[in-house]
């Protein structure tokens, strides 16, 4: 086995991993790819904080690497999804053996600071076809297999034959879930406060979707978003979220709460010709100034450099809405896109904030974002603040606004109103954390 990784950052990311797969396929295409998704790992990060989450995720990664040995290629496809490439030809029986091997060894909990986590996995597996040299085709098949594994009712493994198209065993059920969630008002907006680091007053909030599942309780809406993407219902889901943000903005205004609400935008909404008319309709219906709402883009959407996206955002700003870029600096070295976007705020990705004390480069990156912000005449918001030291370091370099567990996690509207009217206490006292929902 190679050396254990000391941080998640040293594990090959999606692009580096794909390069390695590509080299392996060209060298000898007799291999199999398995994508390993840690089930509901977002619950761990949400409950224990991102720093603890990263420590546990690193332990999982190193254990997977140890289990499969030095012959495999190992990478991190996204937040909590890892990939392994196993050399040689494999039938379904061998791939199932590898899955069982993985699950059996993770029955032993991972312990950290009094917390124990038993990891469970969804796994999508595919053996490469004898004549296939196309890495993207191999990856697409593995991702299709993983999606099916997530949708399976009784089994967490799905092995896909590359000559087959992925079939969705629970696809109709997922679609029914989505329709039922709309009809039965199972969706809800939670609010994560944005706080002035100088005054510790709440100045804004990010709107985050939650799903009140009739059996499983409050869930992150990952399965619903997947279903919405599969059935071209992202606009419906996005418009529902947008309308709830308008309603909440009006509710807050009537209660004397003067803040800016941020709404995450999906690419499909920004490519919809009806988007701007929808904004006009909502503005008229709720009769609020649009400067109390902010459209939040992910960096990859901003990087798309689409003329239509730019036009839609320009028109939204013309109506008074603010526009911000989320996860700034997370995955892209090409900053050219930022020159051509009119922005009101840049949100620094939490990975730079969470390791602020450990690595002076993170501080330099945040200061570079400040320089860019000043040139663009836009605000800088720091995400993922979990410790007093992080807050003080950000204050000292002039960051004025932030969000994170130090202040509060995302909470329901009633709790948010209570929090807004409560003095936030940090320092010698514990920071305010919301009452259990």
């Amino acid at each position: 086995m190679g050396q254990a990784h000391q941080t998640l950052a040293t594990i090959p990311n999606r692009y580096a991993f794909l390069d390695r797969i590509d080299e392996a396929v060209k060298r000898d295409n007799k291999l199999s790819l398995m994508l390993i998704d840690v089930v509901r790992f977002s619950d761990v990060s949400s409950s224990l904080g991102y720093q603890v989450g990263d420590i546990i995720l690193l332990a999982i990664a190193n254990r997977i690497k140890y289990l499969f040995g030095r012959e495999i290629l190992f990478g991190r496809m996204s937040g909590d999804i890892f990939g392994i490439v196993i050399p040689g030809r494999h039938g379904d029986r061998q791939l199932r053996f590898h899955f069982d091997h993985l699950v059996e060894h993770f029955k032993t909990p991972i312990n950290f600071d009094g917390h124990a986590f038993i990891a469970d996995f969804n796994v999508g597996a595919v053996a490469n076809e004898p004549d296939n040299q196309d890495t993207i085709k191999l990856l697409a098949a593995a991702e299709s297999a993983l999606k099916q594994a997530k949708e399976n009712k009784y089994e967490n493994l799905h092995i896909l034959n590359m000559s087959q198209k992925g079939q969705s065993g629970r696809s109709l059920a997922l679609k029914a879930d989505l329709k039922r969630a709309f009809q039965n008002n199972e969706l809800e907006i939670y609010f994560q406060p944005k706080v002035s680091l100088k005054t510790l007053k709440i100045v804004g909030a990010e709107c985050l979707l939650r799903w009140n599942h009739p059996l499983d309780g409050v869930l992150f809406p990952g399965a619903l978003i997947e279903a919405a993407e599969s059935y071209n219902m992202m606009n419906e889901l996005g418009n529902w979220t947008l309308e709830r943000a308008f309603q909440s903005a009006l509710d807050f205004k009537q209660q004397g709460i003067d803040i800016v609400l941020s709404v995450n935008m999906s690419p499909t909404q920004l490519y919809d010709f009806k988007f701007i008319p929808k904004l006009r309709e909502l503005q008229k219906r709720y009769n609020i100034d649009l400067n109390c709402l902010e459209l939040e883009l992910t960096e990859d959407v901003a990087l798309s450099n689409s003329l239509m996206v730019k036009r839609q955002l320009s028109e939204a700003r013309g109506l008074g809405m603010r526009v911000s870029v989320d996860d700034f600096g997370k995955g892209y070295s090409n900053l050219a896109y930022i020159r051509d976007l009119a922005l009101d705020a840049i949100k620094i990705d939490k990975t730079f904030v969470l390791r602020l004390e450990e690595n002076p480069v993170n501080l330099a990156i945040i200061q570079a974002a400040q320089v860019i912000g000043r040139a663009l005449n836009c605000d800088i918001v720091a995400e993922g603040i979990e410790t007093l030291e992080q807050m003080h370091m950000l204050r000292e370099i002039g960051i004025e606004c932030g969000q994170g567990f130090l202040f509060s996690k995302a909470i329901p509207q009633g709790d948010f109103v209570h929090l807004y009217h409560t003095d936030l206490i940090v320092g010698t006292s514990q920071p305010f954390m919301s009452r259990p929902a």
Side-chain angles (χ1 to χ4, degrees), residues 60 146 274 280 298 306 317:
I60 292 171
L146 178 59
K274 297 177 183 175
R280 294 182 190 277
T298 55
S306 158
R317 289 185 88 239

Side-chain angles (χ1 to χ4, degrees), residues 9-64:
T10 62
I11 301 172
N13 65 17
R14 180 184 182 92
Y15 304 104
F17 187 49
L18 279 175
D19 282 345
R20 295 186 182 191
I21 299 173
D22 203 42
E23 289 171 9
V25 167
K26 287 179 171 56
R27 196 166 50 245
D28 184 354
N29 72 345
K30 296 189 291 293
L31 50 79
S32 295
L33 173 61
M34 295 178 76
L35 297 184
I36 301 169
D37 167 54
V38 188
V39 173
R40 288 192 181 173
F41 192 77
S42 57
D43 293 352
V44 176
S45 293
S46 300
S47 301
L48 305 180
Y50 291 103
Q51 285 180 313
V52 174
D54 280 1
I55 290 168
I56 293 174
L57 197 61
L58 179 62
I60 292 171
N62 280 324
R63 200 188 282 189
I64 292 171

Side-chain angles (χ1 to χ4, degrees), residues 367-386:
Q367 289 173 310
Q370 285 181 288
V371 173
I372 293 170
R374 282 194 290 271
L376 292 171
N377 193 29
C378 69
D379 300 331
I380 300 294
V381 180
E383 292 188 278
I385 303 173
E386 292 194 0

